[in-house]
Amino acid sequence: MIAFHYCWLTSPVPVTGIAVGGNIRCFLKLTGTPYWPEITNKILFLEANGGKIEKIAAYFAQLDQTGAFKNCGAILLGLFTTIQAEKQTEQLDELIRFYAEQYAKPVLKTEQIGHSTDSLPFPIGEELSFV
């Protein structure tokens, strides 16, 4: 696996699990289909190219309604390109902390995975460990 830098948005705890998720807009299109993955105890990876904070907040609310935040083992945020360009990163961090606190989930963040010309590949479906 390719190593990438990350930081904790919540208190650090050891996290191990299979990675599921991806681009949040595309991932949500799987809701209610046979292609929706099992999320229980998985590391939920989310990133986005487009969307200001209002759109991402709506995506997070919809994702919450699926039970994803409640059932996952941890949340890993990748690059949210428009959020970063609009200088809304702090708002994004506050938003994900809301869900993390509600469900007592650890949250990590990296800007090395997402929609960028220098983004690293991400191993969906493989086991990851963070300490």
Side-chain angles (χ1 to χ4, degrees):
M1 185 186 106
I2 295 176
F4 55 89
H5 299 286
Y6 62 90
C7 65
W8 291 93
L9 294 182
T10 57
S11 296
V13 296
V15 170
T16 299
I18 303 292
V20 297
N23 177 275
I24 191 169
R25 182 183 56 83
C26 296
F27 187 61
L28 282 168
K29 291 178 182 180
L30 302 177
T31 305
T33 74
Y35 304 104
W36 182 254
E38 174 55 49
I39 293 179
T40 303
N41 298 322
K42 305 283 175 58
I43 297 173
L44 180 58
F45 170 67
L46 302 170
E47 58 86 17
N49 185 30
K52 294 181 183 181
I53 196 66
E54 298 84 5
K55 184 177 278 189
I56 300 303
Y59 290 157
F60 279 9
Q62 184 180 356
L63 196 56
D64 185 37
Q65 291 172 357
T66 70
F69 290 134
K70 178 182 177 184
N71 296 324
C72 73
I75 302 163
L76 172 62
L77 296 184
L79 180 63
F80 283 70
T81 310
T82 299
I83 293 288
Q84 191 172 37
E86 294 289 326
K87 299 186 181 356
Q88 297 178 322
T89 304
E90 191 173 309
Q91 292 170 283
L92 177 69
D93 293 353
E94 289 174 20
L95 182 62
I96 198 61
R97 279 189 191 107
F98 167 79
Y99 291 104
E101 289 172 9
Q102 186 173 355
Y103 299 113
K105 301 298 176 178
V107 179
L108 307 98
K109 184 176 179 179
T110 182
E111 292 184 357
Q112 291 186 295
I113 303 168
H115 284 79
S116 173
T117 56
D118 59 350
S119 287
L120 299 172
F122 187 73
I124 299 290
E126 293 188 23
E127 186 167 276
L128 304 175
S129 290
F130 302 96
V131 290

